[in-house]
Amino acid sequence: MDFLETWRMPLFFVHIPKTAGTSFRLGAEKYFSSERIVYDYGKNSDTTSALVKAYLYGDAPDSWQFRQALLAEKADMIGGHVRIGRFVSLLGVGSTITFLREPLQRVASEYAHFVRHNGYKGSFKEFYSDPKMHNRQLKALQGVNTEAIGLIGLTERYPESLEMLNKHFGINIPRREDNQGKPKLNAQHQLDKEDVAALKRLNKRDIALYQHATALFESRYAMFKSDQPWAHARLVEASTKRVSGWAWWAGENNSDEPLDIEVWVNDELAGSVRAVELRPELCRLLPPRGGHVGFHLPVKLSAGDRVQCRVTSTGQRFPPTPRRVVEPAKS
């Protein structure tokens, strides 16, 4: 059975450099076959598919016609070193996947790759001091909340990531470890204290992204192991007057079923609400229910209160740790 017979759109793989992406890509080729995968690694890359060059790098680029051609070709996946905004509005956030890696180790691995394969002659410090190398993972996903992305795996938890991904999409991509500067995916690059301090300062946003993605991953994997459905869910606002956010079921089987959400304040139930309101800012991501996945609950809160939401039917908590209400700014 073709993948597209059971899933609405081709997978969109955001391949962030040195995050086990090559291992995943080659595993996907083994499962789907290379003829069913389309690549975009830049205009001048030999890996970039002819379909991409024809519709996106020609004299008159047309993203919508590219989408139509992609579907006509019955491609199972498109991937490459592209930012998420490249194809997410064409294929939908639910079909979008990526892997993240501990930021300092990722930078060290990319430097080793540049030296080994690109003939880079500069020092490690020169490499990571280049602004283009700062917060590379955040830049790749900029404009889309991590909670909305179909699945975010972790390089350090690659087997579990692949396990969830295969189950979620009903596929069976085999595990591989390719294009590694180290013998194993979880092998560590040794960094001196001066480099660590500088890298932490230059990549604060990547570090925050990775920490948040790790918390989401642990929560999702726990739900997965207990055979509970996962909800893409985000607490957008927790102010002194209201709580609001959005939520929808991951996957296709029950995507039109609205979620009932509980709002908990200081570990006490403050109220329940159904996620059925329109969130126009999400519509470009093609979420379920035409974007009618939002919720809000008027509630009087005080600065310092701890707010956390739960999916009523499963107990899934979001965000993974409660958020503190902040005193509103004085005008």
Side-chain angles (χ1 to χ4, degrees), residues 30 72 94 120 144 156 271 323 325:
K30 179 75 173 178
Y120 184 77
V144 180
E156 296 80 2
R323 181 188 300 180
V325 176

Side-chain angles (χ1 to χ4, degrees), residues 245-246 275-283 287-295:
W246 44 256
V276 295
E277 299 175 0
L278 177 64
R279 299 290 304 210
E281 75 279 11
L282 294 174
C283 290
R289 298 176 53 81
H292 290 78
V293 293
F295 66 86

Side-chain angles (χ1 to χ4, degrees), residues 13 35 42 102 112 116 134 144 151 153 172 213 236 279 295:
F13 172 44
E35 290 77 17
E102 192 284 316
R116 191 167 57 250
H134 302 166
V144 180
L151 193 141
N172 190 27
V236 175
R279 299 290 304 210
F295 66 86

Side-chain angles (χ1 to χ4, degrees), residues 83-96:
R83 296 191 178 191
I84 196 168
R86 177 75 157 162
F87 300 118
V88 71
S89 63
L90 298 177
L91 303 178
V93 72
S95 298
T96 303

Side-chain angles (χ1 to χ4, degrees), residues 27-323:
E29 288 184 2
K30 179 75 173 178
Y31 177 74
F32 292 126
S33 86
S34 58
E35 290 77 17
R36 302 292 290 271
I37 300 178
V38 173
Y39 290 123
D40 184 359
Y41 283 91
K43 181 178 181 179
N44 299 318
S45 172
D46 292 337
T47 308
T48 296
S49 301
L51 196 70
V52 172
K53 291 183 177 180
Y55 285 95
L56 300 179
Y57 291 114
D59 295 333
D62 189 328
S63 295
W64 185 256
Q65 287 301 316
F66 167 73
R67 174 189 179 274
Q68 300 303 90
L70 189 72
L71 297 180
E73 291 287 330
K74 295 186 177 181
D76 287 320
M77 189 177 88
I78 178 168
H81 290 326
V82 297
R83 296 191 178 191
I84 196 168
R86 177 75 157 162
F87 300 118
V88 71
S89 63
L90 298 177
L91 303 178
V93 72
S95 298
T96 303
I97 56 178
T98 193
F99 294 88
L100 297 180
R101 184 177 181 180
E102 192 284 316
L104 275 61
Q105 289 293 313
R106 197 211 65 79
V107 174
S109 183
E110 188 166 22
Y111 170 69
H113 179 88
F114 266 62
V115 171
R116 191 167 57 250
H117 296 288
N118 298 355
Y120 184 77
K121 302 299 183 183
S123 68
F124 182 41
K125 184 175 182 179
E126 289 173 324
F127 179 82
Y128 70 65
S129 297
D130 185 338
K132 294 193 298 293
M133 296 300 161
H134 302 166
N135 301 302
R136 293 258 276 165
Q137 299 181 102
L138 180 80
K139 291 172 183 175
L141 303 181
Q142 200 153 26
V144 180
N145 296 122
T146 52
E147 295 90 344
I149 296 171
L151 193 141
I152 297 178
L154 301 177
T155 303
E156 296 80 2
R157 301 286 298 279
Y158 187 70
E160 298 96 326
S161 301
L162 197 57
E163 181 187 11
M164 280 200 296
L165 188 149
N166 281 333
K167 177 69 173 179
H168 178 63
F169 291 104
I171 55 181
N172 190 27
I173 293 174
R175 180 184 172 188
R176 299 172 61 105
E177 293 191 3
D178 298 275
N179 196 26
Q180 300 302 312
K182 294 284 184 178
K184 293 292 181 181
L185 286 172
N186 58 1
Q188 296 288 303
H189 293 272
Q190 297 301 312
L191 305 174
D192 65 36
K193 292 182 179 180
E194 180 181 342
D195 289 332
V196 168
L199 285 164
K200 286 182 175 179
R201 175 175 53 83
L202 296 172
N203 294 278
K204 287 181 179 179
R205 299 177 73 187
D206 252 16
I207 292 170
L209 169 69
Y210 180 77
Q211 290 172 342
H212 183 59
T214 298
L216 288 175
F217 181 92
E218 297 294 354
S219 176
R220 183 168 189 169
Y221 192 65
M223 298 290 288
F224 170 75
K225 296 305 285 185
S226 62
D227 201 28
Q228 292 270 33
W230 175 256
H232 296 288
R234 179 176 174 83
L235 175 61
V236 175
E237 178 186 5
S239 68
T240 54
K241 296 182 179 180
R242 61 181 257 152
V243 170
S244 69
W246 44 256
W248 66 82
W249 291 115
E252 290 272 312
N253 293 334
N254 47 10
S255 61
D256 282 334
E257 185 71 23
L259 278 75
D260 291 313
I261 303 299
E262 298 174 352
V263 176
W264 289 71
V265 179
N266 300 326
D267 297 320
E268 294 185 359
L269 181 62
S272 299
V273 63
R274 179 160 283 195
V276 295
E277 299 175 0
L278 177 64
R279 299 290 304 210
E281 75 279 11
L282 294 174
C283 290
R284 68 183 180 86
L285 305 180
L286 310 183
R289 298 176 53 81
H292 290 78
V293 293
F295 66 86
H296 85 279
L297 182 72
V299 58
K300 187 175 181 179
L301 302 176
S302 300
D305 283 345
R306 292 176 293 109
V307 179
Q308 191 175 42
C309 299
R310 298 181 191 176
V311 177
T312 302
S313 61
T314 65
Q316 177 186 330
R317 302 183 181 201
F318 65 96
T321 56
R323 181 188 300 180

